[in-house]
Amino acid sequence: MAAPSLLNWRRVSSFTGPVPRARHGHRAVAIRELMIIFGGGNEGIADELHVYNTVTNQWFLPAVRGDIPPGCAAHGFVCDGTRILVFGGMVEYGRYSNELYELQASRWLWKKVKPHPPSSGLPPCPRLGHSFSLYGNKCYLFGGLANESEDSNNNVPRYLNDFYELELQHGSGVVGWSIPVTKGIVPSPRESHTAVIYCKKDSGSPKMYVFGGMCGARLDDLWQLDLETMSWSKPETKGTVPLPRSLHTASVIGNKMYIFGGWVPHKGENIETSPHDCEWRCTSSFSYLNLDTAEWTTLVSDSQEDKKNSRPRPRAGHCAVAIGTRLYFWSGRDGYKKALNSQVCCKDLWYLDTEKPPAPSQVQLIKATTNSFHVKWDEVPTVEGYLLQLNTDLPYQAASSESSAAPNMQGVRMDPHRQGSNSTIPNSISDTVNNTKTEHTAMKGTSVKNRPDLKASTDSNATLHSSLATNASNHNSCVVDVLRKNEGPHTSANIGVLSSCLDLRTVIPETSVSSSVSSAQTMVTQQTIKTESSSTNGAVVKDETSLTTFSTKSEVDEACALPATKISRVEAYATAMPFSKEIPSNPAATMKAGERQWCDVGIFKNNTALVSQFYLLPKGKQSISKIGSADAPDYSLLKKQDLVPGTGYRFRVAAINGCGIGPFSKISEFKTCIPGFPGAPSAVRISKNVEGIHLSWEPPTSPSGNILEYSAYLAIRTAQIQDNPSQLVFMRIYCGLKTSCIVTAGQLANAHIDYTSRPAIVFRISAKNEKGYGPATQVRWLQDADRRDGSLATGSLF
């Protein structure tokens, strides 16, 4: 974690959508990139459910239905997958609740649930300010404040230290309450404390940590409950313990429990001699407890003043939620004016990166041309950009298809039925998308409006600095793996398509399918991207640089998001080709081995980039360490170098957040294309018929001459695939001039079910011109997720 002076707080601004009114006593949970807020009060108790999308900087109000709970404050609020549980809280002044509600966030459906009472003892009484923590299939309730008076206008507070366990049913519903028998000294009664659960990786039992709270006076004690032995203890800690407090937040990221804000005593007052009489104030102090070493570290002390408004101002009763390694804080109250008998609530939203981001996945290839690559990598949550770098030691090699394509693809298996033709595939990728009618579009990945150091752009491939990337809108042959709903017997169902730079070393003729098939060599790797398309009848991407999300009403139940902003999953794969490692004969064309310098391609705000040139950094000059930092290179002053045909390039990428640049990914290698080969077939469609399925496609958008024939292949089951699922073996099922074929039920019976992402049957289709076969389009026909026997599933479709 950064030193206190280096904390890089960011205030989020320029919201879109209905921003909730400021409040305190509310609660928040995270589901992927969504922050979901419920309840709280300020001039009345709030009963709305608000959702903030941390990627698009959008607030929205889901259209909830079912048994909608009344508004409440200081309630229990936990998230289990895509369901949320709400327990207790204050529903009006002096009247508390002990009711339990469940929200299925995939449908925004509320349901009131009635757990069985404990086998011995009473169920939890109505309360507020309790802790409600989830671990596994159980929730743990501790403490809170009850009203002893039956008259809600006559509040007689009673602090609680009772402990309950609530068992959940899988997916939906609950079993009932139980009262575990605990050992050791129980923590004193309290409310407005925090409780988190943490378990060391690969060792130890889960433990619940209770900190602070209120019991007539604020508390600063730390308690630990071993959830396996049900033993309470008071761990000895090192470092400076935070001041006594209540209405603070505690969030776990990694092995650290972060404590922020709350009510604390005024400076200089002796709380030990007069705990009930001293004045209290809000704080913006920030500390963490290392849960492995039990050591406190102060990041922001109570004595540090903030004259530049560079961090959240003091507050209590706020909410905090962790998304990845980033902490978000919203609203809360920052004081109490006795003269006005009113509270002052904050309206701001802040976030803080707690550590540098992890390394992204290896760079993957979407499309290669003679002088450019369209590449992508896995998204890293809550980052502000990505630094993409390359280097090369392979010179341009002018060669014909006969002399240059095959040598750079070692181990290529020629098609036994066509030994007289060149059936190798050059290193090139293109793709297209197939999707149903898009009614609503979320804006994930299109801009970073709340990042003050980022340069906004409407093009999702725009970089954060000028001249770092080139628009790829002229390349309209992108193929990706799209999850679709089956809208009728003639609709392409569950098709995922990808164009991959394939060598057909693993393709075998239909007549030779047997257990003796040679080991496949094609490496298939998974990658997820987000794509927008408005095409409904041919899967043609109008602009492959519009890498945003899309949604349809029919997909509402499949993701936890507002129905109008459902995030579709898209998968893509590419084959990395081996390259010759020979030292080039022309020393001027490249650096010598061991002297290669990584060159910046640019800083990109999304996980995709079109690469046609790179920047040569001065010798000894390092790349950026943090977005907006003084050491960032001025790319306008650097020399640019274009990519050249037939050359291999190595790529790596690192993510950047408020803490700086993280580690680089593993290195990937790709090769620019040799001119003249046809592009990949596009607009792939699959429909069922009485014989099996009908597979059709459109000719390549860039045929580079006359198309002589097409070949379609099916991934089949072999013993080799069972040993290494990433190595697919393909059987040719069609060869001819037509742009469609029938795949029979008998052929499908031999199909391999690929589980690299969602289960699917894999097809590949490629075109051939006078130079030979071009890149293949890969199609993943999605199957029933519950079918694990490798046979074709014909049941429910995604």
Side-chain angles (χ1 to χ4, degrees), residues 208 240 341 406 417 514 554 753:
M208 184 172 77
T240 303
N341 194 28
H417 288 296
S514 70
S554 62
I753 305 296

Side-chain angles (χ1 to χ4, degrees), residues 669-750:
E669 297 186 67
F670 309 118
K671 187 176 182 182
T672 47
C673 295
I674 299 168
F677 291 91
S682 62
V684 179
R685 287 180 286 183
I686 296 177
S687 59
K688 295 182 181 180
N689 61 19
V690 293
E691 300 177 66
I693 63 169
H694 181 258
L695 183 65
S696 63
W697 57 90
E698 296 294 332
T701 54
S702 302
S704 299
N706 296 322
I707 298 299
L708 303 180
E709 66 184 24
Y710 297 94
S711 287
Y713 303 87
L714 169 68
I716 59 170
R717 293 194 305 271
T718 67
Q720 285 80 3
I721 292 183
Q722 292 177 356
D723 295 337
N724 190 346
S726 66
Q727 295 183 340
L728 300 181
V729 176
F730 285 82
M731 170 182 73
R732 173 148 43 193
I733 53 176
Y734 171 77
C735 182
L737 271 173
K738 290 184 178 181
T739 56
S740 66
C741 67
I742 298 296
V743 186
T744 66
Q747 291 170 327
L748 292 172
N750 290 322

Side-chain angles (χ1 to χ4, degrees), residues 181-186 225 229-233:
V181 177
T182 61
K183 307 170 188 175
I185 300 174
V186 178
L225 175 66
T229 63
M230 286 296 166
S231 300
W232 285 103
S233 62

